[in-house]
Amino acid sequence: MKKFINHVDDFLAESLSGFAAAHQDLVTLHFDPNFVCRAQKSVQKVALISGGGSGHEPLHTGYIGHGMLDAACPGHVFTSPTPDQMLAAAEAVESGKGILFIVKNYAGDVMNFEMAAEMLPYEHATVLISDDVAVVNSTYTTGRRGVAGTLIVEKVVGSFAETGADLATCKVLGDKVNSRTASMGVALTSCTVPAAGRPTFDINETELEMGVGIHGEPGRRREAMRSVDEIVADLVAAIWHDLQPVAGSKILLLINGFGATPLMELYVIYNAAAKLLQQHGLIISRSLVGNYITALDMAGASITVCLLDDEILQYWDAPVHTPALRWGK
Amino acid sequence: MKKFINHVDDFLAESLSGFAAAHQDLVTLHFDPNFVCRAQKSVQKVALISGGGSGHEPLHTGYIGHGMLDAACPGHVFTSPTPDQMLAAAEAVESGKGILFIVKNYAGDVMNFEMAAEMLPYEHATVLISDDVAVVNSTYTTGRRGVAGTLIVEKVVGSFAETGADLATCKVLGDKVNSRTASMGVALTSCTVPAAGRPTFDINETELEMGVGIHGEPGRRREAMRSVDEIVADLVAAIWHDLQPVAGSKILLLINGFGATPLMELYVIYNAAAKLLQQHGLIISRSLVGNYITALDMAGASITVCLLDDEILQYWDAPVHTPALRWGK
Amino acid sequence: MNTEFILKAAQAVNAAILTHEAEIESLDREIGDGDHFINIKRGSAVVIGLQDELAGLTPDVVLQRIGMKLLSTIGGASGPLIASFFIAMAKSVKEHGGETLTEIAVAFTAGVDAIKSRGKADIGEKTMLDVLIPVAGKFTALAGQGADFASLLQALKQEASLGMQSTKVMIASKGRAAQLGERVIGHIDPGAKSSQVMITAVCDLALSLKQVRSLI
Amino acid sequence: MNTEFILKAAQAVNAAILTHEAEIESLDREIGDGDHFINIKRGSAVVIGLQDELAGLTPDVVLQRIGMKLLSTIGGASGPLIASFFIAMAKSVKEHGGETLTEIAVAFTAGVDAIKSRGKADIGEKTMLDVLIPVAGKFTALAGQGADFASLLQALKQEASLGMQSTKVMIASKGRAAQLGERVIGHIDPGAKSSQVMITAVCDLALSLKQVRSLI
Ligand SMILES: Nc1ncnc2c1ncn2[C@@H]1O[C@H](COP(=O)(O)OP(=O)(O)O)[C@@H](O)[C@H]1O
Ligand SMILES: Nc1ncnc2c1ncn2[C@@H]1O[C@H](COP(=O)(O)OP(=O)(O)O)[C@@H](O)[C@H]1O
Ligand SMILES: [Mg+2]
Ligand SMILES: [Mg+2]
Ligand SMILES: [Mg+2]
Ligand SMILES: [Mg+2]
């Protein structure tokens, strides 16, 4: 493992310090417990707090600011944060209209946020993100994972909250966006968790991992490497099967890199996905291509489709001013 | 080599098509000869045209739009574009005040732009970017390479050109920014050019390449892997030696990832570099951290310092609206 | 169960998980995200760091402090679960005592129940509960029967081991591995493994003690 | 030098560089950016594609068309240089003829001079010019001496080879390798190698022809 690192124990703190220093106009960092919040506390709005294991940057800290989150709680690499972080973050950002937790659906995240919620002295609600269609839902499981769709929920609900909407309505919108969003990813290489010091999984030059998670968790199946058109066809088919969109639907198409995939390749994926979706009668109204929800140094990418409606589109387009997403301001 | 690719011969065209489709509100793509220009032609301003080998995305196509470039000419991967591309781009974007070429100092780029300039029926000037301090200038060489500083020149001169400044003044500002900017990079792994199908250089788990170029060209020396603080100290020392900044100077600090380095690590680099520069009395007025000038899938990063003055700061802060850089609009 | 024993047990657990680093780590790499060993090591280390501060306190307070500290230290899925275990045990010891084997079995069972309700999980879902539930059951049964101390401990170790092994053939329906369907068959659950290691370490410690009853 | 020969030479050059793929590619990986083989292959392929369209044209027009096509095809450092070579040769052939060996030597030298001025480079800078300049010199000298055709060609091949080898010990002061200082010592320049391969292919073609003088 070669990484830009001093000591593995200081990695997270140094990274957060660098992040906060580089974006001090937008965010403020607190240690012990660790959380990052807006540099300027907002007034009288529902406060959006998210968090999760680190290693998915810019998610979540990069999405703190006007039109998105009020605070984020970074855990250790790929490890859910602890309830004291959420409590301290809530204390810092609550502004009279309650707290909305945005939580990716992983046992760890769910339980830690749940324990925080139980201790929270404020009105609160939770939107659970479960956009990953890699794993078919079944009655046995705890539901699907939350992946790149998180960005869309944070943006749309974040901008809605800026209008002064109340907690319950924010949650309704968040749940709606989640239910209209489907993602699936593919990995060409594994990521390496610094503290582990070796790749999470082994994969050779002729294989890919279809339906991989954003922590390097295995996906649907290990398959033979093939052309991007074929890979994209599989990803789009799974998404299509889940969303069952009607022809003429407007969509947001997000091609998300996992950290080590060049932008040139992400645009090749976009090209293939957009063509396919258009051939099937969908209208690509909005697009986003880049490293938005990563898995450290994993080579791979995910495709996310969100079925737009006027409300989602309106709040997607609204101004946003965060370290990693910015427009209209 | 595992990449998201159909056939290597179609890679560039498919990537450009995806890019243009994803950003059709901002750019228009032309094939044969290949160039990308603003979707809306601007009126009565110096037209900025850049270009170079592909593989450095988002540079240059990602910087087309208000406040930066008018057009970019993408060559094959790591191969300078050809003069017919520059001529066609100039034809498309010239709006009465001449053409400013922004050219990274590589023999191929210089000669191809030079031949285009010789055939160009418009008033024109060229700013040559040579910010890479990895290689010490000597009378024998053709000068230093152009690397991440290119972004700063394109942004500052781009915003200046929007004010209606004339060609000569734009060139003067470009040359000034270039002379006040110094960069140096380090690689932990090699990139793989798709058409070559194998890594450009071999490097093992205990080595790094200090002063690497953005095409995987060798740098100053092959060295033993060490802590990020030590690596950053070397990079900053080389930059410092070149710029000789006086204490109290305001700087722009750019930490640029080469494509496969996680944002978490880039922020660790930022943290180390910012501390060091501040300890030496510099004031970090502006910061940028991310993958801005890449080398395909190379793991590594570069540090760029630009000595600000009021003029540079003013045009750095001015609104920009491009696929890869956006603020104030 | 006195404070001295709890603190010694923390040492024993710490040593035991370090010994099983490679095994635990690779299990979570195979069917999880590779951090389970790091998580429990972080938790274990922080408990060791509390020793001085805890030394003079009563067992219920010690358990409660450990639980709260783990809650803000471990994170992940295992953090809230292990923390809930200690917090519930503390409550049980405080309310029902923690002196006799029966009382300790009650407290242990309360801890396991807290994990069940926090994780909304039960036996057979390929989690740490496949170790903890059988161990709690055996503990309660043998304590009720007034079993001999040493053979009770041996039985608990065996039960933990069987429970851990039982996860190998299961499909997971809770936790990260629940996403992987049949791909997890053949792999032991990392949380089941670490639980078995910890239980074994505590039992071995108890077995090795001279004045058994007085310490525990 | 007639059109038929030029087109045959293009074929021979194409075949020769494909044969030397691995060697040329690895040289540019070592001290460049790894694309030199891809660049000249792309150029060579596009010239082959022009064959039908060029077949009926005069040699100067053929050379000019090849030059312009290469200019918009190769890119990189080698593109403008090789293109300039053909465009300058075309001009020389048009103005001074391209029939006799002396005229061809003049045209070749004009091409090499165009590379020198486009690249602002000269001999000893570890570039393709370390092959081209000596070959042009030898060509001019032997043509002037009225040397025997076959031995002239052999001499050019030898000169190309020596020139290519000479770059091995040089430090580069032009092109991408100029950034690398002493690190390039021990490596042959990729452009020098490809030039040597191409010159050798053309000479071998000329040597193999039956009615030598009529074709060239
Ligand atoms: N709902 C649950 N109930 C009980 N145990 C669970 C549950 N979810 C996960 N676990 C246990 O947690 C272990 C994983 O812990 P850890 O790796 O630390 O957290 P994470 O899965 O968040 O990375 C699993 O091996 C399993 O034993
Ligand atoms: N200024 C120059 N004059 C002559 N030849 C040059 C010059 N610069 C580069 N070259 C030649 O070009 C070759 C590299 O070509 P190529 O790899 O196609 O382009 P690039 O260096 O742009 O990747 C070098 O090996 C050298 O022989
Ligand atoms: Mg985890
Ligand atoms: Mg090149
Ligand atoms: Mg885990
Ligand atoms: Mg090259």
Side-chain angles (χ1 to χ4, degrees):
Chain A
M1 176 188 67
K2 278 193 290 184
K3 287 184 180 289
F4 292 108
I5 204 166
N6 287 308
H7 190 279
V8 77
D9 292 339
D10 303 321
F11 182 53
L12 176 60
E14 289 180 5
S15 183
L16 288 172
S17 297
F19 169 78
H23 304 289
Q24 52 192 271
D25 52 326
L26 292 173
V27 303
T28 305
L29 167 66
H30 298 260
F31 281 124
D32 265 324
N34 299 356
F35 71 94
V36 183
C37 62
R38 295 192 191 180
Q40 305 275 318
K41 182 172 174 171
S42 46
V43 277
Q44 277 288 94
K45 66 176 274 294
V46 171
L48 271 68
I49 299 179
S50 191
S54 293
H56 307 302
E57 290 67 24
L59 191 82
H60 296 273
T61 50
Y63 302 133
I64 297 171
H66 181 87
M68 291 187 84
L69 302 178
D70 290 273
C73 304
H76 289 272
V77 171
F78 290 175
T79 299
S80 324
T82 54
D84 52 320
Q85 297 177 252
M86 287 68 121
L87 292 172
E91 180 69 33
V93 301
E94 211 278 339
S95 63
K97 301 198 72 168
I99 302 282
L100 184 68
F101 287 131
I102 298 181
V103 181
K104 302 192 296 302
N105 189 30
Y106 297 94
D109 292 87
V110 170
M111 290 188 282
N112 281 287
F113 272 93
E114 214 172 71
M115 291 188 81
E118 288 166 12
M119 297 184 249
L120 198 69
Y122 308 112
E123 195 194 0
H124 59 83
T126 297
V127 174
L128 213 57
I129 313 293
S130 57
D131 57 314
D132 188 356
V133 301
V135 184
V136 184
N137 238 335
S138 93
T139 42
Y140 300 111
T141 73
T142 43
R144 310 190 315 200
R145 304 179 287 216
V147 289
T150 313
L151 164 74
I152 303 174
V153 174
E154 291 181 357
K155 171 66 185 78
V156 171
V157 181
S159 286
F160 184 53
E162 299 289 348
T163 67
D166 68 19
L167 184 61
T169 336
C170 285
K171 173 169 165 62
V172 168
L173 178 58
D175 288 340
K176 179 173 85 172
V177 175
N178 180 57
S179 73
R180 296 169 71 97
T181 302
S183 303
M184 186 152 139
V186 59
L188 305 187
T189 68
S190 171
C191 44
T192 296
V193 177
R198 48 152 288 171
T200 303
F201 57 85
D202 294 319
I203 185 163
N204 68 35
E205 268 298 303
T206 62
E207 297 174 328
L208 57 79
E209 181 72 32
M210 182 58 78
V212 76
I214 55 172
H215 309 85
E217 310 98 316
R220 281 198 178 187
R221 35 180 196 273
R222 181 66 55 96
E223 296 178 352
M225 183 63 195
R226 50 199 189 283
S227 76
V228 64
D229 278 353
E230 293 168 299
I231 294 169
V232 165
D234 279 7
L235 296 174
V236 166
I239 290 168
W240 193 278
H241 178 82
D242 180 76
L243 286 180
Q244 303 279 345
V246 295
S249 299
K250 287 183 184 174
I251 62 164
L252 160 62
L253 175 58
L254 162 59
I255 307 299
N256 175 55
F258 284 149
T261 294
L263 205 44
M264 268 193 96
E265 295 179 44
L266 297 183
Y267 281 119
V268 170
I269 296 174
Y270 180 90
N271 189 51
K275 272 196 192 139
L276 207 57
L277 292 163
Q278 283 165 342
Q279 274 163 19
H280 286 77
L282 298 192
I283 298 160
I284 302 171
S285 299
R286 295 293 181 274
S287 303
L288 204 62
V289 182
N291 292 324
Y292 291 103
I293 289 92
T294 60
L296 292 172
D297 55 352
M298 188 155 82
S302 63
I303 298 179
T304 298
V305 172
C306 171
L307 291 174
L308 296 169
D309 63 13
D310 290 345
E311 188 185 27
I312 299 176
L313 191 57
Q314 176 184 350
Y315 295 109
W316 175 260
D317 284 346
V320 57
H321 188 173
T322 70
L325 208 65
R326 184 163 174 183
W327 57 67
K329 256 203 133 178
Chain B
M1 177 189 69
K2 278 194 289 184
K3 288 181 179 289
F4 293 108
I5 204 167
N6 287 308
H7 189 280
V8 77
D9 292 339
D10 303 322
F11 182 53
L12 176 60
E14 289 179 6
S15 183
L16 287 172
S17 298
F19 170 78
H23 305 288
Q24 52 191 271
D25 51 328
L26 291 173
V27 303
T28 305
L29 167 66
H30 298 261
F31 281 124
D32 265 326
N34 299 355
F35 70 96
V36 183
C37 62
R38 295 192 191 181
Q40 306 275 318
K41 183 172 173 170
S42 48
V43 276
Q44 276 288 92
K45 66 176 273 296
V46 171
L48 269 68
I49 298 179
S50 192
S54 293
H56 307 302
E57 290 67 23
L59 189 82
H60 297 273
T61 50
Y63 302 133
I64 296 171
H66 182 86
M68 290 188 86
L69 302 178
D70 290 272
C73 304
H76 289 274
V77 171
F78 290 173
T79 299
S80 326
T82 54
D84 52 318
Q85 296 177 253
M86 286 68 120
L87 291 172
E91 180 70 32
V93 302
E94 212 277 341
S95 64
K97 299 198 72 170
I99 303 283
L100 184 68
F101 287 132
I102 298 181
V103 181
K104 303 193 294 304
N105 190 29
Y106 297 94
D109 292 84
V110 169
M111 290 188 282
N112 282 285
F113 272 92
E114 214 171 70
M115 292 188 81
E118 288 165 12
M119 297 185 250
L120 199 69
Y122 308 112
E123 197 195 357
H124 59 83
T126 298
V127 174
L128 212 58
I129 313 293
S130 57
D131 57 315
D132 187 355
V133 301
V135 184
V136 185
N137 239 335
S138 91
T139 42
Y140 300 111
T141 73
T142 42
R144 309 187 321 196
R145 301 179 290 214
V147 289
T150 312
L151 164 73
I152 304 173
V153 173
E154 291 181 357
K155 170 65 185 76
V156 171
V157 181
S159 286
F160 184 53
E162 299 290 348
T163 67
D166 68 19
L167 183 61
T169 337
C170 285
K171 172 169 166 59
V172 168
L173 178 58
D175 288 341
K176 178 174 86 172
V177 175
N178 180 57
S179 72
R180 296 171 69 98
T181 302
S183 303
M184 187 152 138
V186 58
L188 304 187
T189 69
S190 172
C191 45
T192 296
V193 176
R198 49 153 286 171
T200 303
F201 57 87
D202 295 319
I203 185 163
N204 69 35
E205 269 297 304
T206 62
E207 295 174 328
L208 56 79
E209 180 72 31
M210 182 58 76
V212 76
I214 56 172
H215 308 85
E217 310 99 316
R220 281 199 179 187
R221 35 182 197 270
R222 182 64 58 95
E223 295 177 354
M225 183 63 194
R226 51 197 188 284
S227 77
V228 63
D229 278 352
E230 293 168 299
I231 295 169
V232 165
D234 279 7
L235 296 174
V236 166
I239 290 168
W240 193 278
H241 178 81
D242 179 75
L243 286 179
Q244 304 279 343
V246 295
S249 298
K250 290 184 181 173
I251 62 164
L252 160 62
L253 175 58
L254 162 60
I255 307 298
N256 175 55
F258 284 148
T261 295
L263 206 44
M264 269 193 97
E265 295 179 45
L266 297 183
Y267 282 119
V268 170
I269 296 174
Y270 181 90
N271 189 51
K275 272 195 192 138
L276 208 56
L277 291 163
Q278 283 164 341
Q279 274 163 18
H280 285 77
L282 299 191
I283 299 160
I284 302 172
S285 300
R286 295 294 180 276
S287 303
L288 205 61
V289 182
N291 292 324
Y292 290 103
I293 289 91
T294 60
L296 293 171
D297 54 353
M298 187 156 81
S302 62
I303 299 180
T304 299
V305 172
C306 171
L307 291 174
L308 297 169
D309 63 14
D310 290 345
E311 188 184 28
I312 299 177
L313 191 58
Q314 176 185 349
Y315 296 109
W316 176 259
D317 284 347
V320 57
H321 188 173
T322 70
L325 207 66
R326 184 163 174 182
W327 57 69
K329 255 207 131 171
Chain C
M1 183 168 45
N2 62 30
T3 296
E4 195 186 339
F5 180 76
I6 297 172
L7 300 185
K8 283 209 168 151
Q11 298 280 6
V13 162
N14 190 52
I17 59 175
L18 292 178
T19 307
H20 291 81
E21 162 163 3
E23 203 176 344
I24 297 169
E25 197 163 54
S26 78
L27 290 174
D28 198 38
R29 251 201 315 266
E30 288 162 16
I31 61 168
D33 58 350
D35 62 353
H36 184 60
F37 172 76
I38 304 163
N39 292 343
I40 56 171
K41 185 177 75 167
R42 187 168 53 243
S44 176
V46 86
V47 173
I48 301 292
L50 289 179
Q51 303 252 335
D52 289 350
E53 159 184 341
L54 298 177
L57 307 174
T58 57
D60 62 316
V61 175
V62 169
L63 292 168
Q64 170 72 17
R65 292 268 181 98
I66 288 176
M68 290 309 290
K69 191 70 184 180
L70 290 175
L71 182 61
S72 63
T73 300
I74 300 184
S78 49
L81 296 171
I82 298 175
S84 298
F85 173 86
F86 279 97
I87 294 167
M89 257 193 107
K91 188 153 174 270
S92 177
V93 168
K94 185 169 184 190
E95 287 172 10
H96 313 296
E99 307 275 298
T100 68
L101 275 180
T102 306
E103 284 165 358
I104 298 175
V106 167
F108 186 87
T109 304
V112 173
D113 285 342
I115 291 182
K116 285 168 73 172
S117 62
R118 174 59 60 200
K120 302 189 181 67
D122 213 321
I123 200 159
E125 304 204 68
K126 199 176 183 108
T127 71
M128 56 177 73
L129 286 169
D130 292 310
V131 169
L132 296 172
I133 292 174
V135 168
K138 185 65 99 189
F139 198 172
T140 307
L142 293 183
Q145 293 158 26
D148 151 55
F149 186 68
S151 56
L152 180 145
L153 291 169
Q154 292 293 3
L156 296 191
K157 282 171 59 176
Q158 200 195 332
E159 201 65 27
S161 180
L162 288 172
M164 179 268 286
Q165 287 296 343
S166 76
T167 64
K168 190 160 183 173
V169 297
M170 293 179 188
I171 292 187
S173 52
K174 286 282 148 44
R176 212 170 278 280
Q179 313 280 356
L180 305 185
E182 312 221 320
R183 288 182 75 165
V184 301
I185 293 176
H187 301 268
I188 289 165
D189 175 64
K193 177 69 202 174
S194 65
S195 298
Q196 179 260 331
V197 167
M198 294 190 246
I199 288 168
T200 303
V202 177
C203 290
D204 284 340
L205 172 70
L207 284 166
S208 74
L209 293 175
K210 295 266 144 61
Q211 306 143 285
V212 166
R213 307 300 306 210
S214 74
L215 249 184
I216 297 202
Chain D
M1 181 170 44
N2 63 29
T3 295
E4 195 185 338
F5 181 76
I6 297 172
L7 300 184
K8 283 206 166 149
Q11 298 279 6
V13 162
N14 189 54
I17 58 176
L18 293 177
T19 308
H20 291 81
E21 163 161 5
E23 203 177 343
I24 296 169
E25 198 163 52
S26 77
L27 289 175
D28 198 38
R29 252 200 315 265
E30 287 162 17
I31 61 169
D33 58 350
D35 62 353
H36 184 60
F37 172 76
I38 305 162
N39 291 344
I40 56 170
K41 186 178 77 170
R42 187 168 55 242
S44 174
V46 86
V47 173
I48 302 292
L50 289 179
Q51 303 252 335
D52 290 351
E53 159 183 337
L54 297 178
L57 306 175
T58 56
D60 62 314
V61 175
V62 169
L63 292 169
Q64 170 72 16
R65 292 266 181 98
I66 289 176
M68 289 308 291
K69 193 70 183 180
L70 290 176
L71 182 62
S72 63
T73 300
I74 301 184
S78 49
L81 296 172
I82 298 175
S84 298
F85 174 86
F86 280 96
I87 293 167
M89 255 192 109
K91 189 154 173 271
S92 177
V93 168
K94 186 170 181 192
E95 286 172 11
H96 311 296
E99 306 277 297
T100 68
L101 275 181
T102 305
E103 283 164 1
I104 298 175
V106 166
F108 186 86
T109 305
V112 174
D113 285 343
I115 292 182
K116 285 168 71 172
S117 62
R118 176 57 61 200
K120 300 189 181 67
D122 213 321
I123 199 161
E125 304 204 67
K126 197 173 183 111
T127 71
M128 56 177 73
L129 286 170
D130 292 311
V131 169
L132 296 172
I133 293 174
V135 168
K138 185 65 105 186
F139 199 171
T140 306
L142 293 182
Q145 292 158 23
D148 152 54
F149 187 68
S151 54
L152 180 147
L153 291 168
Q154 294 293 4
L156 296 190
K157 281 171 60 176
Q158 200 196 332
E159 201 66 27
S161 181
L162 288 172
M164 178 267 286
Q165 288 295 345
S166 76
T167 65
K168 191 160 184 173
V169 296
M170 292 179 189
I171 293 188
S173 52
K174 286 283 148 44
R176 213 170 278 282
Q179 314 279 358
L180 307 185
E182 311 221 321
R183 289 183 74 166
V184 301
I185 293 175
H187 301 269
I188 289 166
D189 175 65
K193 176 69 201 175
S194 65
S195 299
Q196 180 261 332
V197 166
M198 293 191 246
I199 288 168
T200 303
V202 177
C203 290
D204 284 340
L205 173 70
L207 283 166
S208 75
L209 294 175
K210 293 269 145 58
Q211 305 143 289
V212 167
R213 309 299 308 211
S214 73
L215 248 185
I216 297 201

